[in-house]
């Protein structure tokens, strides 16, 4: 019996290796694209949050994609067993994570998701899968990389956000990943217990998208007395655009809950949301829907008078994005157009919504009370 030589072993391995077919080439291309897209997301999440269940699942998904598309399965032996076992374990872990997140009973929330007036609507699947705290901190880290926010300002906001998300139950759904579109008006909604018509606060978010941490500030201060609705738009918070105004208009004319007293609706805007509120208060038609306007850490250009508009401006004395002198000069322009304007300032930077939440909401409460007595 002739004994096998090393050359024979090499010949058998070469024979087992089949030419790479067109399907395999396509699979490798798709796998490469997926890995290129997943890699920066995974890096951002780990850099901002450390190792979490989400990052482990995303890492397992990356490994599975790489093994299935970029690595040729060994023909036989222990290496093939290892390839199959590793791939199966990664896919099992990812599947378990996805099914657990999508089917989990959501934790108690102050707000409910509403789409096109349907209060039993299910949020988009990605917003139920990804954790909002992790998404927000990764977004802040990415903003730092891009140079949008740096140094002490970045560190301050990072600590404020970590504290805000640590003080309550896990946000559900992930508000940052939800947007409204021309065919789907979406918002978060809170209705206080009890009967009768109640006043309403409509909250416009700023750059970065809707944050549950922001709307919880309103709930803590006004949730027992006001309906609170917070429309989604996109990451820009540019409700001043025609599409943004259409989202606000659809909300206040079609999708507010029946408990709202429509003669007592107030628009509250934060940062870019405040810029948007400035544009809306100058819109002859849309401004009629609101009893008053609260602009926090932001303001827009005054181009059209709105005599009789009731406006509260809240600003930080150390806000580099909307300096106090700009706020005060624009307040004078509003007064010159016939609006009734109050200005409240706090020793804070651009993020006073979180750093001075109690003082800010107390000032808003006093102003709202005076408006409701008129």
């Amino acid at each position: 019996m002739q004994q096998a030589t090393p050359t024979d072993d090499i010949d058998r391995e070469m024979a087992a290796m089949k030419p790479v077919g067109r399907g395999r080439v396509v699979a490798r291309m798709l796998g490469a694209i997926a890995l290129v897209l997943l890699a920066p997301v995974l890096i951002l999440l780990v850099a901002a949050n450390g190792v979490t269940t989400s990052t482990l699942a995303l890492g397992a998904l990356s490994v599975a994609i790489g093994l299935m598309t970029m690595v040729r399965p060994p023909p036989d032996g222990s290496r093939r067993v290892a390839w199959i076992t590793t791939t199966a374990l990664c896919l099992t872990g990812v599947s378990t994570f996805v099914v657990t997140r999508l089917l989990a009973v959501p934790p108690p929330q102050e707000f409910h998701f509403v789409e096109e007036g349907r209060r039993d609507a299910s949020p988009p699947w990605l917003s139920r899968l990804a954790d909002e705290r992790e998404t927000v901190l990764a977004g802040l880290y990415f903003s730092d990389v891009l140079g949008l926010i740096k140094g002490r300002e970045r560190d301050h906001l990072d600590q404020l956000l970590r504290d805000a998300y640590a003080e309550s139950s896990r946000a559900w759904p992930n508000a940052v990943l939800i947007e409204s579109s021309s065919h789907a008006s979406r918002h978060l909604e809170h209705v206080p217990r009890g009967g009768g018509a109640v006043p309403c606060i409509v909250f416009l978010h700023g750059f970065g998208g809707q944050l549950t941490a922001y709307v919880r500030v309103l709930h803590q201060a006004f949730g027992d007395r006001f309906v609170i609705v917070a429309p989604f738009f996109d990451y820009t918070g540019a409700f001043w655009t025609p599409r943004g105004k259409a989202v606000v208009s659809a909300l206040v004319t079609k999708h507010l809950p029946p408990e709202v007293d429509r003669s007592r609706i107030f628009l509250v805007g934060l940062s870019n949301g405040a810029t948007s509120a400035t544009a809306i208060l100058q819109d002859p038609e849309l401004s009629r829907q609101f009893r008053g306007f609260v602009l926090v850490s932001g303001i827009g250009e005054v181009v059209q008078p709105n005599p009789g508009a009731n406006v509260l401006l809240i600003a930080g004395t150390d806000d580099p994005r909307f300096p106090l002198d700009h706020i005060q000069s624009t307040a004078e322009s509003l007064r010159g157009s016939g609006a009734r304007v109050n200005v409240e300032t706090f020793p804070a930077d651009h993020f006073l919504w979180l750093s001075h939440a109690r003082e800010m909401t107390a000032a808003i409460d006093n102003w709202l009370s005076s408006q409701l007595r008129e």
Side-chain angles (χ1 to χ4, degrees):
M1 185 174 181
Q2 187 176 4
Q3 189 175 7
T5 66
T7 304
D8 294 330
D9 293 335
I10 295 175
D11 290 340
R12 280 195 295 269
E13 289 189 12
M14 293 295 292
M17 294 177 61
K18 298 179 180 179
V20 178
R22 182 178 299 176
R24 190 69 182 172
V25 171
V26 172
R28 286 184 176 180
M29 291 178 61
L30 293 176
I33 293 172
L35 292 174
V36 167
L37 295 175
L38 286 174
V41 176
L42 181 58
I43 292 172
L44 281 174
L45 286 172
V46 172
N49 301 279
V51 178
T52 65
T53 304
S54 301
T55 57
L56 288 174
L58 198 59
L61 177 61
S62 301
V63 171
I65 291 174
L67 288 174
M68 290 188 298
T69 63
M70 309 300 290
V71 177
R72 181 188 294 274
D76 51 29
S78 59
R79 287 185 298 172
R80 183 174 183 84
V81 172
W83 182 89
I84 294 174
T85 302
T86 304
T87 304
L89 287 175
C90 289
L91 291 176
T92 300
V94 173
S95 300
T96 302
F97 172 81
V98 171
V99 171
T100 301
R101 283 288 177 91
L102 294 182
L103 298 184
V105 176
Q109 300 292 315
E110 304 89 344
F111 290 81
H112 299 285
F113 174 79
V114 181
E115 180 175 81
E116 287 294 302
R118 292 182 287 110
R119 284 156 183 83
D120 59 348
S122 179
W125 67 270
L126 187 57
S127 70
R128 292 178 283 140
L129 189 63
D131 182 84
E132 181 173 326
R133 177 184 181 276
E134 294 178 16
T135 305
V136 169
L137 294 179
L140 178 59
Y141 188 91
F142 187 54
S143 297
D144 184 16
V145 172
L146 295 178
L148 300 177
I149 179 171
K150 299 186 73 68
R152 295 176 59 184
E153 188 182 34
R154 186 263 181 196
D155 294 339
H156 186 211
L157 181 56
D158 180 83
Q159 189 59 55
L160 289 172
L161 290 171
R162 290 181 188 275
D163 292 343
Y165 282 101
E167 292 175 355
S168 53
S169 61
R170 182 173 69 89
W172 188 98
N174 185 338
V176 180
L177 299 180
I178 302 177
E179 297 184 358
S180 288
S181 64
S182 58
H183 62 276
S185 174
R186 296 165 170 163
H187 67 271
L188 294 177
E189 177 181 291
H190 165 78
V191 178
R193 296 180 180 180
V198 292
C200 175
I201 291 174
V202 176
F203 172 71
L204 303 184
H205 65 76
F207 182 84
Q210 190 70 272
L211 269 65
T212 302
Y214 289 157
V215 293
R216 281 175 173 167
V217 170
L218 291 174
H219 175 266
Q220 291 172 359
F222 307 107
D224 59 334
R225 293 166 290 149
F226 283 77
V227 168
I228 303 171
V229 292
F232 297 101
F233 187 50
D234 59 24
Y235 75 94
T236 67
F239 289 95
W240 65 76
T241 62
R243 188 169 70 89
K245 286 185 178 181
V247 168
V248 177
S249 178
L251 172 65
V252 296
T253 59
K254 300 177 182 178
H255 302 311
L256 290 179
E259 294 85 355
V260 170
D261 180 349
R262 292 185 171 273
S263 66
R264 297 186 294 170
I265 303 175
F266 297 89
L267 185 65
V268 177
L270 171 63
S271 191
N272 271 8
T275 303
S276 301
T278 310
I280 291 173
L281 76 84
Q282 298 174 81
D283 186 299
E285 296 299 323
L286 189 52
S287 62
R288 295 177 184 176
Q289 302 292 334
F290 301 101
R291 179 82 165 261
F293 305 85
V294 180
L295 282 58
V296 181
S297 297
I299 198 166
E301 184 181 2
V302 178
V303 295
Q304 184 170 336
N306 183 357
N310 300 306
V311 183
L312 172 64
L313 302 179
I314 297 180
T317 56
D318 302 315
D319 187 343
R321 298 174 184 272
F322 289 90
L324 183 58
D325 57 353
H326 172 65
I327 297 288
Q328 291 174 332
S329 64
T330 308
E332 288 303 315
S333 297
L334 283 171
R335 292 189 182 104
S337 70
R340 297 188 297 175
V341 183
N342 291 66
V343 180
E344 294 280 352
T345 62
F346 298 99
D349 58 16
H350 189 64
F351 311 114
L352 68 84
W353 187 277
L354 294 177
S355 65
H356 290 66
R358 291 185 179 179
E359 300 92 329
M360 177 197 71
T361 52
I364 295 175
D365 196 5
N366 290 336
W367 184 82
L368 288 175
S369 297
S370 67
Q371 297 299 311
L372 292 174
R373 285 195 297 267
E374 293 183 0

